[in-house]
Amino acid sequence: MTKTAGCCQGCLHYVFDYETPKTLVIPSIRVGFVFRFTQFLVVLYVVGYVCVVQKAYQETDSVLSTVTTKVKGFAFTNTSDADPRFWDVADYVVPPQVSNIRFVFTANTHKLNLPNPSTSCVDDCDCIEGYSDPRGNGILTGLCENYSTTVKTCEVISWCPLEIDTKLPEHALLAAAENFTVLIKNSITYPKFNVHRRNILPHINSSYLKRCEFNRTTDPDCPIFRLKHIVSEAGEEFQDMAVKGGILGIIIDWSCDLDWWARKCNPQYSFRRLDNKNPANNVAPGFNFRFAKYYKTPDGEETRTLIKAYGIRFDVVVHGTAGKFGIVPTVVNLGAALTFLSLVPVVADWVMLTCMGKRDLYKKHKITHLNEVADTETVISFLLQMNIFPKYRFSASLISNDRPENVLFVDP
Amino acid sequence: MTKTAGCCQGCLHYVFDYETPKTLVIPSIRVGFVFRFTQFLVVLYVVGYVCVVQKAYQETDSVLSTVTTKVKGFAFTNTSDADPRFWDVADYVVPPQVSNIRFVFTANTHKLNLPNPSTSCVDDCDCIEGYSDPRGNGILTGLCENYSTTVKTCEVISWCPLEIDTKLPEHALLAAAENFTVLIKNSITYPKFNVHRRNILPHINSSYLKRCEFNRTTDPDCPIFRLKHIVSEAGEEFQDMAVKGGILGIIIDWSCDLDWWARKCNPQYSFRRLDNKNPANNVAPGFNFRFAKYYKTPDGEETRTLIKAYGIRFDVVVHGTAGKFGIVPTVVNLGAALTFLSLVPVVADWVMLTCMGKRDLYKKHKITHLNEVADTETVISFLLQMNIFPKYRFSASLISNDRPENVLFVDP
Amino acid sequence: MTKTAGCCQGCLHYVFDYETPKTLVIPSIRVGFVFRFTQFLVVLYVVGYVCVVQKAYQETDSVLSTVTTKVKGFAFTNTSDADPRFWDVADYVVPPQVSNIRFVFTANTHKLNLPNPSTSCVDDCDCIEGYSDPRGNGILTGLCENYSTTVKTCEVISWCPLEIDTKLPEHALLAAAENFTVLIKNSITYPKFNVHRRNILPHINSSYLKRCEFNRTTDPDCPIFRLKHIVSEAGEEFQDMAVKGGILGIIIDWSCDLDWWARKCNPQYSFRRLDNKNPANNVAPGFNFRFAKYYKTPDGEETRTLIKAYGIRFDVVVHGTAGKFGIVPTVVNLGAALTFLSLVPVVADWVMLTCMGKRDLYKKHKITHLNEVADTETVISFLLQMNIFPKYRFSASLISNDRPENVLFVDP
């Protein structure tokens, strides 16, 4: 029983005995200053940089967004190569459905029937039947026909007339497009924080929306953009861009700080050309595509009008990150900071033991060198104590001396 | 040679001498308890919150997804302002191609020819030729024509008849659309973990898919949704929404825990209206767009049917984060936790040196105050020792003294 | 005044006194080795794994991208169930607008008029008027008509002729599609680092782009892909896939290391089939959709050509993460590492105090056990000092003794 009690007490000691390092207090203003200053630097970094600048105490989420756009505007075209025509949104916006990609086409190509050098030939042998070059005009029939009195070309199966897209239109068909406006409705979500926002801010009312137009300085919150304005903000010239076509990014930045003391979560608009203007390494410069309208002639035969549309595509690119105070990132960053705080003494010790004048004194008291000699010394000191004790005993015996007049401090 | 040996031994000592703090064991149950309890709290936080709740030991990746949808359903319309017509998917789904945005249009507007107040005029001077208000009806010809006996309006170039979209249809054209079903096929990828999933789960077979319909309670895994059900889950009324149109988000949450002990990675469906119902700050409420079908009359003239489609757009929004055990985040969080563990002694020391009864005793043994006095004292003690030694010698001689009356302390 | 001075000095001491642990140096090569080796392991992990492998010192950003694609190629079809026809991009690419989803349709279904078993009936009672099964053929009129001499079916309102999609085409209509090429232009942005890249790399020139074709070994940077090649790289057979249709992912990985010493940021192309081939749990296998072309007959009646297009959809999936040196992640990971370094002494101490031969000696010098006995001892030593002092005083008095022979150390 005493055994168990002892063991129990032992483990009790094992668990609850508190082991704390012995410390030495050094009243040196200089060492103390080095210590406090290094601490101060670390704290400064943590508070100033990690918290204020980087907001590392926040956990983040990235944005989910849906976009709808609505283009408005009219144009009337009357060019040599096309009939006079009135255009409204249903005509020039492809595709009709509302998505985050709008296309406003601004130019058509002339369709002429010129020989394609790649298909020029001398006789039928040059034309492999059924062969089709994906970059060519059609499927070779195998015949080499007179194209003109001078040139012979391989006959191809294709829609007639052949379309030649080497010659670019010298001007944009829908020059008026620069005054078209596009309304962008963007609703975003930060699923982790269950936050929903719209780019039509609460303080905006319908009457304002009916007349406003985006302007970075005067109307930064108006979601209605004039095409010309967008293009010029992207550093491009609308008419130039309209001829060859291009892709223009309407970038909406939804970076949010959702902490209650910040609460700012508004969209920032910016505009940038996304396609490559550089002609050096570029295939199919600008931006264009072909689409066809199909008709049936009264006698049931199918015909089509092929339109090669050069235009400006507007991509609405929505991005952003929301940050909100989170325990885990806070703890992690605080932990890292504390670790560096725990390094400060190392620095201070180093300074103390190398740069200070009294370093030897400090070293003597701080560091004990354990070695065999030390051990013997301790042994010796033990023995000395053994020697000293008799002396005490002696004086004691002295005190118990039989001759009272010899007693200490007695005055007869 | 001995020199090098010495130096070598020196650096050997420098490298391999192990410096360990001297410690003091305090057998105080209370201090020990404080120490252990604080430790326990930290460990509890780490295990309980960081690991179990936040799964901070995981590295994460965000989802890549592709979606295909397929709408099914029929409708027959017989309204005053349109011919009787049968509608199937090819008719009411715009655009045809399968993407993650489906549009089912449900209402057309009447097309009447009413004057637009903005264009009412008194004489030609009020109509600037060629001017076009993007929000108007067309391009002014510059003439002010009698619109009715009372009203004069500016003549505009435009498609005829003029479309007036101020008057909303009082009922949805395709009321039957509420019974249409949409099949959503969604395949996702977590590239970092090379994980691929589909929303048609392995345990689902074709026969089930042929007859099932999504229901949160009975068929939570069926990827076929009835439009009416979706809208009602989003807290809207289908018929109301169908008239003005709107955007409905089908949100698929693919949050996954890929650790072998968890292995759960199933889609969660939720539905939410994404556009702004609030009429207060809203332009073009609901959701609609115009598109045209083009025809050629037998005499080759192009005509079109303009359709202003009010409808419900379904956006399939896929989001999610996958987590899997990662060494780096684990180490980082463990490190942070350990840092806090290393703070526990600070707490315990503070308690020990301030709140305990024996604090002075503890302080005396734990902390050594190094100061000039202490130094001098040590010096003094050295000197004393010098003094003391003769005394010892003397007393020794004394002991061997033969003349007792000459013994010290005797006064004759 | 002295008071304030004293207090001031006190707080000065409080702030600037530096408390450093007393340490014990143990010249044991084995303990030292254990210590250094454990340190080495931790450093190895940090440098090797965290920095080199995981690049945990980087802050990351995910990619924003826009894609344009351009398909080229021709086909000529002459099948029993369709008129001879020539196809170019405007015909087989749906939708026309350029987005990151291209659809090339490759097969049409036959349209026959077969009874749908679900609608077979005995008499009118079996046919509920107005009822429409979303998965059926149309809206029931309520009449049960002779479909053939043997079978009676419910009459339905629908477009004529009825389309039956149970019978799949036995061969792809546009077999030639396998030789079509698609040009992918992809421009990405890492907003956080303000980095913009294009998949047409600077060293590529136009002439190369005009003739090149993607090949993983010879032309890894050419953005022009031959459909057949894509499909085969995805481990599929084009002709098989073309019949039933399918979705093919063109995955572009833009993982970038933006640190100045790395500077690598090129796209990596890979291809994978995204839809589910597995017939077991699959509804509407492959990939297809219906779209219609609308015509008006000379007498103004609207007709349509319904096309059920089986085809291969190409989804361009762009993903990637850019990493760049960041102070916060560096500090966090360094902090975690240092924490583990601060654990090393614990290990070394444990080894020292349990496995070493001289553990008792080490323990004796390292750890002081504070207990009551120790306290009493200290008390005793105090008392002894009290005893010793009079002796000193005495000897002092002795020295001032007038009897020289009684002076210490004098032998008469």
Side-chain angles (χ1 to χ4, degrees):
Chain A
M1 167 191 159
T2 48
K3 198 129 166 271
T4 52
C7 137
C8 176
Q9 194 177 23
C11 77
L12 204 72
H13 269 289
Y14 183 77
V15 175
F16 284 113
D17 276 4
Y18 174 55
E19 188 168 358
T20 177
K22 287 182 173 178
T23 58
L24 176 72
V25 173
I26 291 172
S28 155
I29 207 86
R30 272 180 299 171
V31 176
F33 177 76
V34 169
F35 178 62
R36 293 298 175 191
F37 183 71
T38 331
Q39 268 184 333
F40 171 74
L41 287 184
V42 174
V43 170
L44 194 71
Y45 157 78
V46 174
V47 174
Y49 187 76
V50 175
C51 296
V52 177
V53 180
Q54 292 284 340
K55 293 202 170 57
Y57 57 81
Q58 291 183 328
E59 54 188 344
T60 61
D61 189 12
S62 51
V63 70
L64 288 180
S65 107
T66 53
V67 173
T68 63
T69 56
K70 213 179 180 67
V71 178
K72 285 200 162 150
F74 307 98
F76 181 76
T77 58
N78 190 354
T79 59
S80 58
D81 58 313
D83 308 335
R85 174 161 184 183
F86 171 82
W87 304 77
D88 68 9
V89 60
D91 301 317
Y92 59 68
V93 170
V94 182
Q97 96 281 10
V98 178
S99 79
N100 70 338
I101 294 178
R102 312 299 280 123
F103 177 75
V104 180
F105 78 83
T106 49
N108 296 58
T109 48
H110 307 264
K111 304 209 180 353
L112 304 171
N113 201 340
L114 298 173
N116 187 332
S118 69
T119 63
S120 58
C121 58
V122 180
D123 59 22
D124 296 356
C125 315
D126 298 344
C127 307
I128 307 96
E129 182 175 0
Y131 168 82
S132 77
D133 170 17
R135 298 179 178 80
N137 294 321
I139 302 161
L140 303 192
T141 57
L143 304 178
C144 190
E145 298 291 330
N146 285 333
Y147 171 72
S148 64
T149 53
T150 57
V151 187
K152 298 184 83 182
T153 61
C154 292
E155 188 186 53
V156 294
I157 302 178
S158 176
W159 288 86
C160 286
L162 263 192
E163 170 217 345
I164 303 300
D165 61 356
T166 50
K167 184 153 164 299
L168 274 178
E170 64 290 331
H171 70 285
L173 179 66
L174 288 187
E178 67 181 17
N179 286 321
F180 292 175
T181 60
V182 55
L183 159 67
I184 295 176
K185 286 195 209 171
N186 177 23
S187 99
I188 62 139
T189 304
Y190 286 109
K192 193 195 281 180
F193 307 126
N194 192 29
V195 167
H196 310 300
R197 288 279 190 283
R198 290 193 177 79
N199 69 331
I200 299 178
L201 305 177
H203 67 265
I204 296 183
N205 58 20
S206 304
S207 60
Y208 173 73
L209 283 175
K210 281 199 169 33
R211 51 176 179 68
C212 77
E213 184 179 310
F214 176 82
N215 181 310
R216 197 166 293 290
T217 51
T218 60
D219 300 273
D221 295 337
C222 178
I224 297 166
F225 304 87
R226 189 171 291 273
L227 300 197
K228 186 181 189 176
H229 183 247
I230 295 178
V231 175
S232 62
E233 273 228 358
E236 302 289 331
E237 182 50 57
F238 188 91
Q239 294 304 339
D240 302 353
M241 196 170 173
V243 174
K244 280 187 127 192
I247 304 169
L248 204 75
I250 301 175
I251 295 134
I252 307 181
D253 183 353
W254 271 100
S255 300
C256 294
D257 184 344
L258 298 173
D259 290 320
W260 56 264
W261 57 83
R263 275 257 163 280
K264 58 175 188 56
C265 194
N266 295 337
Q268 296 297 327
Y269 301 97
S270 62
F271 312 96
R272 198 163 54 74
R273 182 167 187 171
L274 297 177
D275 66 320
N276 189 359
K277 282 191 302 179
N278 169 15
N281 65 338
N282 202 351
V283 62
F287 173 67
N288 61 73
F289 66 85
R290 293 171 184 72
F291 70 97
K293 293 179 186 167
Y294 296 89
Y295 310 103
K296 268 204 173 132
T297 55
D299 53 2
E301 193 204 349
E302 185 176 39
T303 66
R304 73 170 192 181
T305 302
L306 179 70
I307 298 167
K308 180 172 188 185
Y310 286 77
I312 301 178
R313 195 178 93 184
F314 294 94
D315 284 12
V316 180
V317 179
V318 181
H319 71 91
T321 314
K324 197 172 189 177
F325 173 82
I327 293 183
V328 167
T330 310
V331 165
V332 166
N333 279 281
L334 215 60
L338 286 169
T339 314
F340 282 88
L341 273 183
S342 73
L343 281 190
V344 172
V346 177
V347 178
D349 283 355
W350 181 82
V351 170
M352 182 180 82
L353 298 177
T354 41
C355 316
M356 289 295 124
K358 295 193 188 153
R359 53 173 169 274
D360 300 330
L361 173 63
Y362 297 148
K363 200 174 268 155
K364 185 166 115 282
H365 287 83
K366 176 174 164 56
I367 307 173
T368 316
H369 277 272
L370 171 71
N371 47 38
E372 303 319 311
V373 189
D375 287 346
T376 51
E377 267 175 0
T378 52
V379 172
I380 286 166
S381 65
F382 269 49
L383 297 175
L384 279 176
Q385 289 184 342
M386 305 322 295
N387 290 351
I388 286 160
F389 274 126
K391 225 174 261 72
Y392 291 145
R393 222 187 292 97
F394 154 74
S395 55
S397 70
L398 184 71
I399 288 161
S400 70
N401 194 307
D402 51 16
R403 293 169 59 193
E405 67 278 1
N406 284 358
V407 174
L408 285 175
F409 322 127
V410 174
D411 212 340
Chain B
M1 155 156 182
T2 48
K3 196 125 163 275
T4 54
C7 135
C8 174
Q9 193 176 23
C11 75
L12 203 73
H13 271 289
Y14 183 76
V15 175
F16 283 113
D17 276 4
Y18 174 54
E19 189 168 359
T20 178
K22 287 182 173 179
T23 58
L24 175 73
V25 174
I26 290 171
S28 155
I29 209 86
R30 274 179 297 172
V31 177
F33 177 76
V34 168
F35 178 62
R36 294 296 177 195
F37 182 71
T38 330
Q39 268 186 334
F40 171 75
L41 288 183
V42 174
V43 171
L44 194 72
Y45 157 77
V46 174
V47 174
Y49 187 76
V50 176
C51 295
V52 177
V53 179
Q54 292 284 341
K55 294 201 168 58
Y57 56 82
Q58 291 183 328
E59 53 188 345
T60 61
D61 190 13
S62 52
V63 70
L64 289 180
S65 108
T66 53
V67 173
T68 64
T69 56
K70 213 180 179 66
V71 178
K72 284 201 163 151
F74 307 97
F76 181 76
T77 60
N78 190 355
T79 59
S80 58
D81 57 310
D83 309 336
R85 176 162 183 183
F86 171 81
W87 303 77
D88 69 8
V89 60
D91 300 316
Y92 58 70
V93 171
V94 182
Q97 94 283 9
V98 178
S99 79
N100 70 337
I101 294 178
R102 312 298 281 120
F103 177 77
V104 180
F105 76 83
T106 51
N108 297 59
T109 48
H110 308 264
K111 302 208 181 358
L112 305 170
N113 200 338
L114 297 173
N116 188 331
S118 68
T119 63
S120 58
C121 58
V122 179
D123 58 23
D124 297 357
C125 315
D126 299 345
C127 307
I128 306 98
E129 182 176 0
Y131 168 82
S132 76
D133 169 19
R135 299 179 177 82
N137 294 321
I139 301 163
L140 304 191
T141 57
L143 304 178
C144 190
E145 300 290 330
N146 285 333
Y147 169 71
S148 65
T149 54
T150 57
V151 186
K152 298 183 83 181
T153 61
C154 292
E155 187 187 55
V156 294
I157 302 177
S158 176
W159 289 86
C160 286
L162 264 193
E163 170 216 344
I164 302 300
D165 60 357
T166 49
K167 184 152 165 299
L168 275 177
E170 65 289 332
H171 69 285
L173 179 66
L174 289 187
E178 68 181 18
N179 286 322
F180 293 174
T181 60
V182 55
L183 159 67
I184 295 176
K185 286 195 208 172
N186 176 21
S187 99
I188 61 135
T189 305
Y190 285 109
K192 194 194 279 179
F193 307 127
N194 194 27
V195 166
H196 309 299
R197 288 279 191 284
R198 290 193 178 79
N199 69 331
I200 298 178
L201 304 177
H203 69 264
I204 296 182
N205 59 19
S206 305
S207 60
Y208 174 73
L209 283 175
K210 280 198 169 34
R211 51 176 178 70
C212 79
E213 184 179 309
F214 176 82
N215 181 310
R216 198 166 291 292
T217 52
T218 60
D219 299 273
D221 295 336
C222 178
I224 297 166
F225 304 86
R226 189 172 289 274
L227 300 197
K228 186 182 189 175
H229 183 248
I230 295 178
V231 175
S232 62
E233 275 230 356
E236 303 289 331
E237 182 50 57
F238 188 90
Q239 294 305 339
D240 302 352
M241 196 170 171
V243 174
K244 279 187 128 191
I247 304 170
L248 205 76
I250 301 175
I251 296 134
I252 308 183
D253 182 354
W254 270 100
S255 300
C256 294
D257 184 345
L258 298 174
D259 290 320
W260 57 264
W261 58 83
R263 275 256 163 278
K264 59 177 187 55
C265 193
N266 296 337
Q268 296 296 328
Y269 301 96
S270 63
F271 311 95
R272 197 163 56 74
R273 183 166 185 172
L274 297 178
D275 66 321
N276 189 359
K277 280 192 300 180
N278 171 15
N281 65 338
N282 202 351
V283 62
F287 173 67
N288 61 72
F289 66 85
R290 292 168 184 74
F291 68 98
K293 292 180 187 167
Y294 296 90
Y295 310 103
K296 270 208 173 126
T297 55
D299 54 3
E301 193 205 348
E302 186 176 36
T303 66
R304 73 170 193 181
T305 302
L306 178 70
I307 297 167
K308 180 174 186 184
Y310 285 79
I312 301 178
R313 196 178 90 182
F314 294 95
D315 283 12
V316 180
V317 180
V318 181
H319 71 92
T321 314
K324 196 173 190 177
F325 174 82
I327 293 184
V328 168
T330 310
V331 165
V332 166
N333 280 280
L334 216 60
L338 287 168
T339 314
F340 282 88
L341 272 184
S342 72
L343 281 189
V344 172
V346 178
V347 178
D349 282 355
W350 182 81
V351 171
M352 181 180 82
L353 298 177
T354 40
C355 315
M356 289 294 125
K358 296 192 186 155
R359 52 174 169 274
D360 299 330
L361 172 63
Y362 297 149
K363 199 174 271 160
K364 188 168 113 280
H365 286 83
K366 176 175 164 56
I367 305 173
T368 315
H369 277 272
L370 173 70
N371 48 35
E372 303 318 311
V373 190
D375 288 346
T376 49
E377 268 176 358
T378 50
V379 171
I380 286 166
S381 65
F382 268 47
L383 297 174
L384 279 177
Q385 289 185 343
M386 306 322 296
N387 291 351
I388 285 160
F389 273 123
K391 229 178 251 72
Y392 293 148
R393 220 186 295 101
F394 156 74
S395 56
S397 71
L398 180 74
I399 289 163
S400 68
N401 194 311
D402 53 354
R403 293 169 58 191
E405 68 277 1
N406 282 359
V407 175
L408 285 177
F409 330 130
V410 175
D411 210 340
Chain C
M1 153 156 183
T2 47
K3 198 132 167 269
T4 53
C7 138
C8 175
Q9 195 176 22
C11 76
L12 205 73
H13 269 290
Y14 183 76
V15 175
F16 283 113
D17 275 5
Y18 173 55
E19 187 168 0
T20 176
K22 287 184 173 180
T23 59
L24 176 72
V25 174
I26 290 171
S28 156
I29 206 87
R30 272 179 299 169
V31 177
F33 178 76
V34 168
F35 177 63
R36 294 297 177 193
F37 182 71
T38 330
Q39 268 185 333
F40 171 74
L41 288 184
V42 174
V43 170
L44 194 72
Y45 156 79
V46 173
V47 175
Y49 187 76
V50 176
C51 296
V52 178
V53 180
Q54 293 284 341
K55 293 203 169 57
Y57 56 82
Q58 292 183 328
E59 53 188 346
T60 61
D61 189 13
S62 52
V63 70
L64 289 179
S65 107
T66 52
V67 174
T68 63
T69 56
K70 214 181 178 66
V71 178
K72 286 203 161 146
F74 307 98
F76 181 77
T77 59
N78 190 355
T79 58
S80 58
D81 58 312
D83 310 335
R85 175 161 185 184
F86 171 81
W87 304 77
D88 68 10
V89 60
D91 300 318
Y92 58 70
V93 170
V94 182
Q97 96 281 11
V98 178
S99 79
N100 70 336
I101 293 177
R102 312 299 283 123
F103 177 75
V104 179
F105 78 81
T106 49
N108 296 57
T109 47
H110 307 264
K111 302 205 182 357
L112 304 170
N113 199 339
L114 296 173
N116 187 331
S118 69
T119 64
S120 59
C121 59
V122 179
D123 58 25
D124 296 356
C125 313
D126 299 346
C127 306
I128 307 96
E129 182 174 0
Y131 168 81
S132 77
D133 169 18
R135 298 179 176 80
N137 293 321
I139 301 163
L140 304 191
T141 58
L143 303 178
C144 190
E145 299 291 329
N146 285 333
Y147 171 73
S148 65
T149 54
T150 57
V151 187
K152 297 183 86 180
T153 61
C154 292
E155 187 186 54
V156 294
I157 302 177
S158 176
W159 289 85
C160 288
L162 264 191
E163 169 216 347
I164 302 301
D165 60 356
T166 49
K167 184 153 167 298
L168 274 178
E170 64 290 331
H171 70 288
L173 178 65
L174 289 187
E178 68 181 17
N179 286 322
F180 292 173
T181 60
V182 55
L183 159 66
I184 295 176
K185 285 195 209 173
N186 177 23
S187 100
I188 61 136
T189 305
Y190 285 109
K192 192 193 284 181
F193 306 127
N194 192 28
V195 167
H196 310 299
R197 289 279 191 282
R198 290 194 178 80
N199 69 331
I200 298 179
L201 304 177
H203 67 265
I204 295 182
N205 58 18
S206 305
S207 59
Y208 173 74
L209 284 175
K210 281 199 169 35
R211 49 176 180 69
C212 79
E213 183 179 310
F214 175 82
N215 181 310
R216 197 167 292 291
T217 51
T218 60
D219 299 274
D221 295 337
C222 179
I224 297 165
F225 304 87
R226 189 171 290 273
L227 300 196
K228 185 181 190 176
H229 182 248
I230 294 178
V231 175
S232 62
E233 274 228 357
E236 303 289 331
E237 182 51 58
F238 188 90
Q239 294 305 338
D240 303 353
M241 197 171 172
V243 174
K244 280 188 126 193
I247 305 170
L248 204 75
I250 301 175
I251 295 134
I252 308 184
D253 183 353
W254 271 100
S255 299
C256 294
D257 184 345
L258 297 173
D259 290 320
W260 56 264
W261 57 84
R263 276 254 163 280
K264 58 178 187 55
C265 193
N266 296 337
Q268 296 296 326
Y269 302 97
S270 63
F271 312 95
R272 198 164 55 75
R273 182 165 187 173
L274 297 177
D275 66 320
N276 189 359
K277 280 192 306 180
N278 170 16
N281 66 338
N282 202 351
V283 61
F287 173 67
N288 61 73
F289 67 86
R290 291 169 185 74
F291 69 98
K293 293 178 187 169
Y294 297 89
Y295 309 103
K296 268 202 175 135
T297 55
D299 53 4
E301 193 205 351
E302 186 176 38
T303 66
R304 72 170 194 181
T305 302
L306 178 69
I307 298 167
K308 180 174 187 184
Y310 286 78
I312 301 178
R313 195 178 90 183
F314 294 94
D315 284 12
V316 180
V317 180
V318 181
H319 71 91
T321 315
K324 196 172 189 177
F325 173 83
I327 293 183
V328 168
T330 310
V331 164
V332 166
N333 279 280
L334 215 59
L338 286 169
T339 315
F340 282 88
L341 272 184
S342 73
L343 281 189
V344 171
V346 177
V347 177
D349 282 355
W350 181 81
V351 170
M352 182 180 82
L353 297 177
T354 41
C355 316
M356 290 294 125
K358 294 190 186 155
R359 54 172 168 276
D360 299 330
L361 173 64
Y362 297 149
K363 199 173 272 157
K364 187 166 114 279
H365 288 82
K366 176 173 163 58
I367 305 173
T368 316
H369 278 273
L370 172 71
N371 47 36
E372 302 321 311
V373 188
D375 287 344
T376 49
E377 269 176 357
T378 53
V379 173
I380 286 166
S381 66
F382 268 50
L383 295 175
L384 281 175
Q385 290 183 342
M386 304 322 295
N387 290 353
I388 288 162
F389 274 125
K391 237 181 242 67
Y392 293 148
R393 223 188 291 100
F394 157 73
S395 55
S397 69
L398 183 74
I399 290 161
S400 67
N401 195 310
D402 50 8
R403 295 167 60 192
E405 67 276 5
N406 283 358
V407 175
L408 285 175
F409 323 129
V410 175
D411 213 339

